[in-house]
Amino acid sequence: MIHLINPSTDPYFNLALEEYLLMNEFDLNDYFLLWQDRPVVVVGRNQNTLEEINLEAIRSQGVEVVRRLSGGGAVYHDEGNLNFTFIVNDENRSAFDFARFTEPVIETLDKMGIKAENSGRNDITIAGKKFSGNAQCRFKHRLLHHGTLMFDCRIEDMVKVLNVSPDKIVSKGVKSVRSRVTNISEHIKQPVSLEQFKDLLVQTVRDGGYLQGDRQLSKSELLEINKLRQKKYISWDWVYGNSPPFNIQRKKTFPWGTVDLRLDIKNGLIEKCKIYGDFFSNRDVTELGRDLTGTPYRQPDIDHKLAVMDLNSYFPAANPGEIEGLIGDGLVIK
Ligand SMILES: Nc1ncnc2c1ncn2[C@@H]1O[C@H](COP(=O)(O)OC(=O)CCCC[C@@H]2CCSS2)[C@@H](O)[C@H]1O
């Protein structure tokens, strides 16, 4: 197994790197990586992104959002969170075996005088509180296991950004399990920094006899991974568009009346849009709903579509921007 040194804190790059190592058929080495992200919410493969994040908090805190390849729920990363990844050849396709990969973490903490244990589906806990969430995915004969390690994470921010968005969203996606969490640093007796903890963990894996050496990414690998980052991981299609079908109901009362908006979103596109309310209109709003069908559910596309519609004829008393703000998702996409 090779210890791959990856100093990047770009969440899109880091997840592209995992995919690259898992699926690269020209490099079938086993890998072990420790890495960190700048503040980000990482949603699971089958989750409805908009349901897992609190949009307002995400925007005000400058937290990014990314989707990973593995299943499970949404987690929050910041500089106080360390991630570990194992990518191994696993011919026998055994049932999900998490303990094999969480063992080095438990052993390292044991050396530090902290008792941690595997718990539930995919967690490692200290005194019944979760500090590590784990997930796996496979590609052909290769298995990727990754996990978080909350060392000194900003839990207040985690709670803020992982809040379900204020819209009333009914989804067919997998909901995150909200569980009580803790930081490793809270349980440490002698001062140990995240860097020292990282070194101890590498040492434990090394002592296990698995590590053959360290290496960094080559220029050509960096190029390939960055290509994947651009094409997939930073794309709206992957982060938001890939969500399961969901419905949004949004009701707002303006001085000129109440607007009750119902949207069905599928593959990131508006599949159905119905508008109800007690406002006075010069035109049938079902037409407006019909015209929005097929539009990607993201602000620039919605704005673009609405700009060529005569919104004033539907909502004569509305102020500029009010309807756009209600229909759009408010997301600013890079
Ligand atoms: N960083 C972090 N570590 C541990 N637990 C967390 C974290 N962030 C949030 N949570 C808690 O876990 C639940 C979600 O638990 P749930 O069990 O639903 O999901 C997971 O654990 C997924 C782990 C994915 C790990 C990957 C490794 C590298 S990229 S992300 C959430 O609501 C919080 O209560």
Side-chain angles (χ1 to χ4, degrees), residues 68 73-77 81 122 130 133 146 148 150 158 177 179:
R68 61 178 189 269
V75 290
Y76 166 76
H77 296 171
N81 179 82
N122 60 329
K130 173 175 182 173
H146 54 191
T148 60
M150 290 171 59
M158 173 183 294
V177 186
S179 45

Side-chain angles (χ1 to χ4, degrees), residues 7 19 21 37 39 46 57-58 73 80 106 121 142 151 161-162 197 211 238 249 265 274 291 293 303 313 318 329:
E19 174 174 331
L21 292 175
D37 278 335
N46 305 308
I58 294 269
I106 295 175
R121 267 190 324 166
R142 280 162 83 72
F151 191 82
V161 296
L162 284 182
F197 173 64
L211 287 186
W238 174 249
Q249 182 191 356
I265 315 286
K274 290 234 169 97
D291 284 352
T293 313
D303 284 349
S313 59
D329 63 355

